[in-house]
Amino acid sequence: MADPLDLEPEIRDGLQRVGTAPLASQLLKRGLRNVFIPRVAPVNPLHARMVGPAYTLRFIPMREDLANAASVATPANPQRAAIEQTPPGHVLVIAAGGELGSGCLGDILASRLLQRGVAGVLSDGAVRDGHELRELPLPIFCAALAAPPTFARINAVDAGRPIGCGGVPVFPGDIVVADDDGAIVIPRHLAAEVAHDGLEQDRLERFVRKRVDRGASIVGLYPPNEGAMAAYRRWVDAGEDDGALRDL
Amino acid sequence: MADPLDLEPEIRDGLQRVGTAPLASQLLKRGLRNVFIPRVAPVNPLHARMVGPAYTLRFIPMREDLANAASVATPANPQRAAIEQTPPGHVLVIAAGGELGSGCLGDILASRLLQRGVAGVLSDGAVRDGHELRELPLPIFCAALAAPPTFARINAVDAGRPIGCGGVPVFPGDIVVADDDGAIVIPRHLAAEVAHDGLEQDRLERFVRKRVDRGASIVGLYPPNEGAMAAYRRWVDAGEDDGALRDL
Amino acid sequence: MADPLDLEPEIRDGLQRVGTAPLASQLLKRGLRNVFIPRVAPVNPLHARMVGPAYTLRFIPMREDLANAASVATPANPQRAAIEQTPPGHVLVIAAGGELGSGCLGDILASRLLQRGVAGVLSDGAVRDGHELRELPLPIFCAALAAPPTFARINAVDAGRPIGCGGVPVFPGDIVVADDDGAIVIPRHLAAEVAHDGLEQDRLERFVRKRVDRGASIVGLYPPNEGAMAAYRRWVDAGEDDGALRDL
Amino acid sequence: MADPLDLEPEIRDGLQRVGTAPLASQLLKRGLRNVFIPRVAPVNPLHARMVGPAYTLRFIPMREDLANAASVATPANPQRAAIEQTPPGHVLVIAAGGELGSGCLGDILASRLLQRGVAGVLSDGAVRDGHELRELPLPIFCAALAAPPTFARINAVDAGRPIGCGGVPVFPGDIVVADDDGAIVIPRHLAAEVAHDGLEQDRLERFVRKRVDRGASIVGLYPPNEGAMAAYRRWVDAGEDDGALRDL
Amino acid sequence: MADPLDLEPEIRDGLQRVGTAPLASQLLKRGLRNVFIPRVAPVNPLHARMVGPAYTLRFIPMREDLANAASVATPANPQRAAIEQTPPGHVLVIAAGGELGSGCLGDILASRLLQRGVAGVLSDGAVRDGHELRELPLPIFCAALAAPPTFARINAVDAGRPIGCGGVPVFPGDIVVADDDGAIVIPRHLAAEVAHDGLEQDRLERFVRKRVDRGASIVGLYPPNEGAMAAYRRWVDAGEDDGALRDL
Amino acid sequence: MADPLDLEPEIRDGLQRVGTAPLASQLLKRGLRNVFIPRVAPVNPLHARMVGPAYTLRFIPMREDLANAASVATPANPQRAAIEQTPPGHVLVIAAGGELGSGCLGDILASRLLQRGVAGVLSDGAVRDGHELRELPLPIFCAALAAPPTFARINAVDAGRPIGCGGVPVFPGDIVVADDDGAIVIPRHLAAEVAHDGLEQDRLERFVRKRVDRGASIVGLYPPNEGAMAAYRRWVDAGEDDGALRDL
């Protein structure tokens, strides 16, 4: 039986083919404006795209008597536990409170996540060992690099609970999608429909873009009026969509 | 048997007679620098002092489909539950993520907390119904006033767990003390000793202040050298401390 | 014929008797979350409440060759023109881009607005001559006081156009209401209904607050379940609402 | 007859050969300090330089009932109109209020601007469809990428009026120049002289840089004393300036 | 012989009778825009005005091994030394780097400054012992109150050198004036003339304000045209200025 | 005799082979948390690593009458003097107060530093002439690029004194190390031991990383328990450390 938090292959596949821009448009159509995490970027530019259900990890500001090397020397430490417990295919989403003064993860932990089949990492804070992480084939979206160890500034307190990450609510199992435009969080129950409608929107925008690239005005075309929609449908029916325009 | 999180009367009494300034000094002597919550002030200037163990409540940013009037219409809502569950004598400490665009509490909930014997409220966000709260004999320390209801910006997710409030870690049962200089958080196990040493420091500073008010230089007096300490001890032994200097 | 932007007396009257908190709740019920201007406070604490349609004035950052005493020495200067053109009963809403380094208004211009019957001033920037403004019976809500003249930092460019003020959209004629909890902006077409529903909500909350003040739990009462609503309606029918609770 | 806002070819040519650094120095010599827009960078690193008169577009924060897909489905929408009306050779300068939570432009609109011969785009906010924009041969300087559609956070209100962009005043027709060091705004009437003097300054700095690269001290050389100026003039007269030093 | 940094009695007297608003206007007339320190307010509302030459004290962020009680236990500590060395009649201006997490001064040091005849304190950071400072007849302008001791966040490094305070340059001997509108810094060599011209501007504005209070339009009056200036001079000559208008 | 501020070759060599991440860990072990300068990055990605003692230069906000081209036309100007006086092998550390609106250094001054054998530049502000600096083989870590000349926003006041840079204390002679993860500041007297212990930590982490890359869990391995430490020592003794893992 499938893990109820696992992502159905067809939804994952759909989300992997749509950009965060059309997905954000679809969420806005459904009244959701607070789904985008600003100011995060991929550490490794060659691995700048990820899709997966959220496994959440929460930090709070450090207290000097609790924040030291000894505190992480036990599997019960929530940060270390999360490294071993984030399910394969999931995205580890870290609430670091926007802290840029220490890294909430380094290359050893990231390498372990990669080994375990985790889909990626998203943090509103910083990560460390940037030189090594840039070589690692794991998507990591974060706000900065920072040399100090995690407990220089923050302490992990729990995992698997709702968090705020970069001003956005994230519930365990929500679907995280990230690419060049940043990271968005899709409520679990909407994943299938926004994947579907996002793919459709993407195709329509390919059609529009082709017309614009050939000199058409956007008036009546974007957004499309009835005539433009009819032309679009003929274009689809004629199989003229090669899906490749945007990467010309 | 006493609630293990309850505060022994003599410690509470001591903390009520010491300012947050000497208490912060005592915590710094023990290596704790990250205990002060900046930018909060009392809503009612006549109730600008509170002491009590922390009962924590955590919010995350709102999501439009979850954040509405219906969501708070059940006792299971963590915000509403916290109002009825914060133990008497405790301080309700609210992690609002520094959100100033909606109030995490209004006059009805505050009035209920007062009725239930809660010691006060501390939030890194805003509260609403400022006009009414200014009349309520309950210490409320927060960062701003804001008209919109809680769920305009944030949603409660849990209570009784470690939180970050204004950049400071707060564990349930930590002792919150607040006065004109702001709010500090004392780790539970240090409350007795910092209360004791803070009272002593306060007495020494009364002695110093009296000398300074009479024209003494601070050289050798503040901090006191051996001679000044000997004079201080004679002053104490002679019963010259009337405890009243600071409020002349 | 009435000025289409003027405010009907009964709506103005209603809005003057409701706090910004219930009004913000009513706007949120209608899906409007971005209506509250944070970080503004009244300069004169005795004139901390205002209601009126918005007359908008817009500044942009200054350019040294345009921003000088000569530039304001003509009635065509948009700032000076706005002082003489804001209709009586309206609120002059100033988009200062959050600039706190110069005052967008001083006591002479404020005195003129008062003479002309303007309802008040709202700015996301600063005002100057604070000593004099604190004595003036005109509600002025702003973010700070600042000594330098307007053109030290900003230049007026136009009036009567849509603006952003403190992160909130303001269209000419929108209704501004401000009190202790801050300032909100009500779309013109919603003013009548939120005034009506806000008054009703206010009455219900007086009922709730009275019960809570007497020791009732909030469970089932706030928000009220069916039983509580029935009790409320009996309380209303019995004429027990004296409208005075909040100012006990 | 030439469009009065159009840029004379020789001025455009001059500005294209000078960096923003010497141009900013020339503006400062004329008393203008507030001409630099910080925190913007080119989306496409291969198209990181642009020159052109400003065509301005202004956004304000969104209001939920106005900010939706329907609002942009008309050529009268100021954002859509600006795409078709920005004159060829001009720079579309967008006042997005520094909003980083939605993109004020995507690849379809940018492609249309490119088709229409627009010189580039400058925004103090974000743009979306970063993956596609990085492939488009159009200079776009902005503060971030963001997935959500424009109206998730902001609404266009007018075009062709003075705006503040990134804290800098921009009047329609002002000349925008942007390169690696960021974007500056040159008042229209100063364009010719700062282009001329900037080219001269650039030549002088090439001379200085060559001397420094060969080991000369900056004392007496940078800024140049009389002797250094005489040597510079000999260098110019001897035709030793190959204009290429900086790209060695 | 007078201390060259001392303030001539007639200049001090003039500056004490002018508000910071006209003084800032006079500085702007002389091309100085960067003279106002925003976000500071007086701790004791009854002592909200000060004038005096600056004696500067500079802090940098703390380092744990240097920032402790022992570090201040010597008269050579720059903070402690500054308390005994700020000349009477001067303002102690503290560059705290805008740090709000610890107080750069408490009631004992402030009391010593008062005893020594210092004119006041200006800091872009916080002070502690707010309860006591509110009772002390010494003007203290700062950005916040904070309980922790100075060295929790910052360390004093030197005195009597140029500093930046709240984004404004302060050279030793510059004249600091502070009142309700905040604090400004007047270059030493301009003090006499801005005091003189500020008094004249103040008188003119009293004339204007009286006319406005009686119903005059600002057109032609503020700023005054030739006719208004003639009327002003007659008003002055007739001895109608009672100097009291602003405090009606 | 060696310059007492000079860096012993073996320490420099050690620090050049360790990343800032293990060095920051070693400083934290010694109780130092405030050693990391966030938000700075190398201008030239091919010269993104530097080690050297700090030579400090301090700016304050500009004042218009002092901040002009003439002010830098003398070798006594602290900025210009610092260019000729920073000792070879040292890092010029610039306190720009985080100012991003002007460049505290351009390509001519940077070229001179390179000629003089300076190890690099660190600033919490911006630099200008980014196009040229990207070609210069000199490590420059700063917060942004900016076109305007230095004195558009800031003025140099002194060199060789303690400064705050990006929130971190820097004393002349402290050792600056910067790489991909940012810049850290090592107190002079700790340089030898953190270099030594950092190299050891680095070796241990190479061992751990190799195990993790081969599929080992982090439990018991990171941090290592006794068994893991024994295995590590055998690995070291067996000469299996090729020092190359991280760049695989």
Side-chain angles (χ1 to χ4, degrees), chain D residues 3-239:
Chain D
D3 174 348
L5 285 186
D6 215 353
L7 191 55
E8 296 82 348
E10 64 277 15
I11 302 181
R12 182 184 291 269
D13 177 65
L15 292 172
Q16 265 162 343
R17 289 185 293 127
V18 194
T20 55
L23 292 170
S25 295
Q26 291 302 321
L27 291 168
L28 182 51
K29 273 194 186 170
R30 288 156 179 84
L32 300 181
R33 287 172 200 271
N34 197 24
V35 297
F36 173 67
I37 298 176
R39 272 175 269 252
V40 296
V43 175
N44 181 339
L46 301 178
H47 292 265
R49 179 155 187 83
M50 66 182 176
V51 174
Y55 184 82
T56 60
L57 172 61
R58 183 166 70 97
F59 286 88
I60 63 171
M62 69 87 200
R63 208 174 78 196
E64 289 87 346
D65 56 341
L66 301 176
N68 48 48
S71 73
V72 296
T74 158
N77 175 280
Q79 179 203 33
R80 299 305 161 102
I83 299 301
E84 295 290 339
Q85 291 170 3
T86 306
H90 281 56
V91 171
L92 176 60
V93 183
I94 300 174
E99 176 62 58
L100 304 185
S102 71
C104 59
L105 205 80
D107 76 312
I108 290 174
L109 300 187
S111 173
R112 179 62 183 149
L113 291 172
L114 177 67
Q115 291 294 325
R116 294 191 55 256
V118 164
V121 176
L122 169 63
S123 169
D124 62 358
V127 299
R128 60 200 301 241
D129 300 324
H131 186 65
E132 289 75 16
L133 294 181
R134 281 208 193 96
E135 308 289 323
L136 207 69
L138 180 75
I140 300 178
F141 284 76
C142 61
L145 298 178
T150 312
F151 46 88
R153 297 285 178 189
I154 52 178
N155 263 359
V157 287
D158 51 34
R161 302 186 68 85
I163 58 173
C165 181
V168 171
V170 185
F171 293 84
D174 280 352
I175 308 304
V176 175
V177 184
D179 63 10
D180 301 74
D181 282 353
I184 60 167
V185 180
I186 305 174
R188 186 65 181 86
H189 67 286
L190 294 176
E193 63 182 82
V194 303
H196 177 272
D197 292 0
L199 280 167
E200 169 60 25
Q201 178 181 338
D202 223 29
R203 187 171 59 174
L204 172 58
E205 294 190 353
R206 273 198 300 276
F207 167 81
V208 170
R209 173 71 190 275
K210 276 198 171 169
R211 293 299 178 276
V212 168
D213 283 353
R214 290 167 191 168
S217 159
I218 58 168
V219 180
L221 177 63
Y222 186 64
N225 58 18
E226 277 186 38
M229 279 307 290
Y232 165 61
R233 279 185 294 263
R234 287 192 301 271
W235 178 80
V236 170
D237 293 344

Side-chain angles (χ1 to χ4, degrees), chain A residues 79-105:
Chain A
Q79 179 203 35
R80 299 304 160 101
I83 299 301
E84 295 290 338
Q85 290 170 3
T86 306
H90 281 56
V91 171
L92 176 60
V93 183
I94 300 174
E99 176 61 59
L100 304 185
S102 72
C104 60
L105 205 79

Side-chain angles (χ1 to χ4, degrees), chain B residues 5 20 39 41 45 61 130 152 182 189 209 217 246:
Chain B
L5 285 186
T20 55
R39 272 176 269 252
H189 68 286
R209 172 73 191 275
S217 159
R246 290 177 171 250

Side-chain angles (χ1 to χ4, degrees), chain A residues 20-22 24-25 28-29 33-36 38-39 180-181 184 201 205 208-209 212-219 222-223 246-248, chain D residues 62 64 67 72-73 75 80 83-84 100-101 107-109 111-112 115 128-132 134-136 145-149 151-153:
Chain A
T20 54
S25 295
L28 182 51
K29 273 194 187 171
R33 287 172 199 270
N34 197 24
V35 297
F36 174 66
R39 272 175 269 252
D180 301 74
D181 281 352
I184 60 168
Q201 179 181 335
E205 295 191 353
V208 170
R209 172 73 190 274
V212 167
D213 284 351
R214 290 167 192 166
S217 160
I218 59 167
V219 180
Y222 186 65
R246 291 178 168 248
D247 292 319
L248 274 190
Chain D
M62 69 87 200
E64 289 87 346
V72 296
R80 299 305 161 102
I83 299 301
E84 295 290 339
L100 304 185
D107 76 312
I108 290 174
L109 300 187
S111 173
R112 179 62 183 149
Q115 291 294 325
R128 60 200 301 241
D129 300 324
H131 186 65
E132 289 75 16
R134 281 208 193 96
E135 308 289 323
L136 207 69
L145 298 178
F151 46 88
R153 297 285 178 189

Side-chain angles (χ1 to χ4, degrees), chain B residues 174-190:
Chain B
D174 281 353
I175 307 305
V176 174
V177 183
D179 64 11
D180 301 74
D181 281 352
I184 60 168
V185 180
I186 305 173
R188 187 65 181 88
H189 68 286
L190 294 176

